[in-house]
Amino acid sequence: MSFENQTVSVHYARAVAAAAQDKGFSPSEILQSAAINENMIKSDDMRLTPEQLAKLMQSAWLIEDDEFLGMAATTSRHGVFNLMAKQAVHCKNLRGVYRHLCRFYNLTTTAFTLNFSYDDKIATLEMKLTAPAYDKHHMLTDFLLILWHRFPAWLIGNRIPLISAHLDFAKPAHADEYRLLFPCPIQYEADCTRILFPSELLSAPVVQTPDTLKAHLRRAPLDWFKRQNYYPTFTRRVLDALTPENRFENLQFEEIAASMAMTTRTLRRKLTEEKTSFQEIKSIARRDTAIHLLSRKIIPISRIAHELGYSDAPSFSRAFKEWTGVTPIRYKK
């Protein structure tokens, strides 16, 4: 399984659709542009591919002409982020990127305030929404934190490990998504929304160029939703081993542990520390690979079942319905 196919909660599609409707736009038009059926977002078990969520947001940006998706006290014309990014790519290092990011948005919007600070050990980016009531699904907060984290990391060509993330609201229903979005300790009901990371990274040079930025912006926000490097270490390594090519049903836990030069007991303990298990990872890998393959209409369901290691299509259909609440045929339609 390629981690770029990792799926995301349908919660985010619902939030985009609800905000669009509140602003007088047609949710149907926005959803259809991303090949998302309106009935699909009614199920809490449904998942989206990163491509679907990216297309959904691109559509909303174009139709609403608001990069804040109607979830803030003021709007931000589509293209404002690109303007900031074209300046950021000329910054010397990560410290300069965060300083520029804060200065730019504090000058161009009153929807939120940003503050960047650091000491010898920890760098902190804080954000306060001016009118948090507009962000009732916390979609804008989640998206902006992803943006403040992932885009600077792309600029320096390296991941930014988070020490912790603080959110100024109670633990939401979709909190399970945060284990992947922000792989670090999460504090809820904080006095301010913030991310903390090692300050030693601030001297990392910007390695991207205006030419590479053009391609990055054409794909945006897709690259920010592809979370290749954000699983905890051992979960990531087990996921890397679970691919259709290796046959899901044949690859044993013992083999994976041996490939990591450790005992099964040690690997099981490492996964427990990362709050997961082999069976959970295997189920996630199968589910997300299935959703990705079903989005490619030319692949028959019987072949998908075979690639995922199921003995027949009915067995796969039963498992898929447990994961998503619908059958593969209905999902494909």
Side-chain angles (χ1 to χ4, degrees), residues 55 75 110 128 208 232 283 330:
K55 287 180 181 178
T75 62
T110 58
K128 269 189 175 294
Q208 303 297 340
S283 181
R330 184 179 172 193

Side-chain angles (χ1 to χ4, degrees), residues 76-124:
S76 180
R77 297 287 300 274
H78 185 38
V80 170
F81 174 81
N82 284 17
L83 180 61
M84 185 281 295
K86 289 175 182 177
Q87 297 170 358
V89 77
H90 295 288
C91 290
K92 181 180 178 180
N93 53 31
L94 186 62
R95 181 185 295 104
V97 169
Y98 275 110
R99 284 175 172 169
H100 167 67
L101 191 156
C102 292
R103 184 167 55 248
F104 181 92
Y105 276 103
N106 286 336
L107 282 172
T108 59
T109 185
T110 58
F112 52 80
T113 57
L114 292 174
N115 181 60
F116 173 62
S117 61
Y118 61 94
D119 56 27
D120 291 343
K121 294 183 178 180
I122 299 175
T124 305

Side-chain angles (χ1 to χ4, degrees), residues 61 98 130 238 253:
W61 285 340
Y98 275 110
T130 305
V238 172
F253 188 63

Side-chain angles (χ1 to χ4, degrees), residues 114-183:
L114 292 174
N115 181 60
F116 173 62
S117 61
Y118 61 94
D119 56 27
D120 291 343
K121 294 183 178 180
I122 299 175
T124 305
L125 182 74
E126 296 184 341
M127 179 178 71
K128 269 189 175 294
L129 296 183
T130 305
Y134 285 94
D135 188 27
K136 53 189 175 184
H137 301 286
H138 308 303
M139 166 75 181
L140 181 62
T141 297
D142 289 358
F143 174 68
L144 289 177
L145 281 189
I146 290 171
L147 186 56
W148 308 151
H149 181 213
R150 306 282 171 85
F151 180 65
W154 177 81
L155 284 172
I156 65 171
N158 203 351
R159 69 188 297 265
I160 300 175
L162 294 176
I163 296 172
S164 62
H166 300 180
L167 302 171
D168 61 356
F169 48 80
K171 186 176 182 178
H174 67 284
D176 285 348
E177 294 295 299
Y178 294 158
R179 185 165 64 93
L180 299 178
L181 294 177
F182 313 113

